[in-house]
């Protein structure tokens, strides 16, 4: 798989294709179980893929948890893009969503802790 520079001035190299991880997990009632997510991820990595797309809302956060476990052995090799504004709860409320500092902190994005 070929790589390209992410943006014009970042110098960050990523694979030309990104792996969307919305189907990693079964929180929505359908999707890939952890073993199947591992097979999908491994095939992508074997093909030279380095760029992953995730969000705390995919599978109510289960996707991000699985993705984190999948890349943990070689974290510096992968580029992870994520979104956090919508929240990961089945029925998020106003105090758990939005592009404010506590949203990524709550998801563990800045502090490494949940809560």
């Amino acid at each position: 798989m070929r790589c390209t520079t992410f943006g014009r001035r970042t110098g960050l190299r990523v694979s030309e294709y990104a792996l969307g991880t919305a189907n990693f997990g079964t929180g929505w009632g359908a999707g890939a179980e952890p073993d199947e997510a591992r097979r999908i991820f491994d095939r992508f990595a074997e093909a030279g893929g380095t760029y992953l797309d995730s969000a705390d809302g995919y599978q109510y956060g289960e996707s991000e948890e699985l993705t984190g476990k999948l890349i943990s052995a070689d974290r510096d090799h992968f580029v992870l893009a994520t979104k956090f504004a919508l929240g990961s709860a089945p029925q998020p409320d106003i105090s758990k969503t939005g592009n404010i500092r506590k949203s990524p902190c709550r998801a563990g994005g800045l502090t490494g802790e949940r809560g």
Side-chain angles (χ1 to χ4, degrees), residues 4 7 18 29 38 41 47-48 60 63 65 78 97:
T4 188
R38 163 63 71 186
F41 171 79
Y60 302 127
S63 171
E65 290 177 18
F78 296 98
T97 61

Side-chain angles (χ1 to χ4, degrees), residues 3 6 25 28 40 45 66 69 78 86 104 106:
C3 289
F6 186 83
W28 292 339
I40 294 166
L66 284 171
K69 290 175 185 173
F78 296 98
L86 297 179
R106 176 174 283 112

Side-chain angles (χ1 to χ4, degrees), residues 16-102:
E16 285 188 333
Y17 292 97
L19 175 62
T21 63
N23 66 334
F24 285 11
T26 57
W28 292 339
E33 296 284 346
D35 289 341
E36 181 65 15
R38 163 63 71 186
R39 286 190 290 276
I40 294 166
F41 171 79
D42 286 346
R43 180 66 187 106
F44 178 71
E46 289 166 7
T50 61
Y51 186 32
L52 300 135
D53 171 69
S54 189
D56 67 343
Y58 294 164
Q59 303 292 349
Y60 302 127
E62 186 180 0
S63 171
E64 261 190 340
E65 290 177 18
L66 284 171
T67 301
K69 290 175 185 173
L70 293 170
I71 67 174
S72 65
D74 196 9
R75 178 60 186 100
D76 290 340
H77 181 73
F78 296 98
V79 174
L80 178 64
T82 190
K83 299 160 287 294
F84 59 84
L86 297 179
S88 60
Q91 296 177 346
D93 61 41
I94 192 70
S95 66
K96 296 179 183 172
T97 61
N99 291 327
I100 56 177
R101 185 182 185 282
K102 74 178 184 176

